[in-house]
Amino acid sequence: MTDKKWLSHPVLSLLLAAVWLLLQQSMALPQLIAAAVLGLLLPRLLHGFLGPALRLRKPGLALRLVVVVLWDIVMSNLVVARLVLSPGGRPQPAWVRVPLALRQPGAISLMASIITMTPGTVSCVVDEVRHEILVHALDCSDAPAMAAEIKSRYERPLLEIFG
């Protein structure tokens, strides 16, 4: 019964309602009603595809992870721009295997998304049998070091946040 309750994904419901209001640029009553309906109805209709909701155990650490990810996105944009625009830039593309300690599908998907959002890296395969993510890096001279950095910057906080 818990998977089929109306607020099985409360964070998603709030996010959908907030995005609707931002897109409408209005807090008028009809928009508030539409936001509430979307926030309640869409997760309810999609509950079979969404799987169990992730429960934040450490919201403060989650906020810190958001700051780290945003910082990494900005810095990676600068590094990739310099690499691509520099006449002498010679990227060293590499495949990096990142072993996973995470086991929750939602947390693994979040980690893969974080990797892909960071310019210069793309999560290509989540191997559930081997418990690893295969990442393509635009420029990587040391694959084990990059895997260790991904684990320390993203996976370790996600393990603490979601348990």
Side-chain angles (χ1 to χ4, degrees):
M1 182 74 179
T2 56
D3 288 330
K4 294 183 180 183
K5 66 182 182 176
W6 281 97
L7 280 173
S8 62
H9 291 81
V11 174
L12 178 60
S13 293
L14 287 172
L15 184 62
L16 286 168
V19 167
W20 176 260
L21 292 172
L22 286 170
L23 288 172
Q24 296 304 310
Q25 298 180 358
S26 171
M27 295 285 282
L29 185 59
Q31 299 309 327
L32 290 171
I33 292 170
V37 168
L38 286 172
L40 290 173
L41 193 59
L42 284 177
R44 173 75 175 126
L45 291 172
L46 298 173
H47 75 274
F49 296 104
L50 296 175
L54 292 173
R55 302 286 181 218
L56 292 179
R57 294 200 172 137
K58 295 187 177 181
L61 184 56
L63 185 58
R64 196 172 333 142
L65 177 61
V66 167
V67 171
V68 167
V69 170
L70 291 174
W71 175 258
D72 287 353
I73 289 171
V74 169
M75 297 309 294
S76 294
N77 268 305
L78 296 173
V79 169
V80 169
R82 186 183 66 215
L83 183 67
V84 171
L85 298 174
S86 165
R90 300 227 187 270
Q92 296 176 334
W95 290 100
V96 179
R97 292 189 180 278
V98 181
L100 292 173
L102 286 169
R103 292 297 183 255
Q104 297 135 318
I108 293 170
S109 295
L110 182 56
M111 183 169 157
S113 297
I114 290 170
I115 292 167
T116 298
M117 284 186 287
T118 307
T121 56
V122 177
S123 299
C124 296
V125 176
V126 176
D127 189 332
E128 294 176 9
V129 175
R130 292 183 178 170
H131 299 291
E132 67 183 15
I133 296 179
L134 182 61
V135 176
H136 183 267
L138 175 65
D139 188 35
C140 174
S141 58
D142 186 356
M146 178 177 264
E149 184 176 13
I150 289 171
K151 288 182 71 62
S152 69
R153 291 187 72 79
Y154 308 135
E155 185 183 37
R156 189 174 305 134
L158 287 170
L159 280 167
E160 288 184 47
I161 292 166
F162 298 115

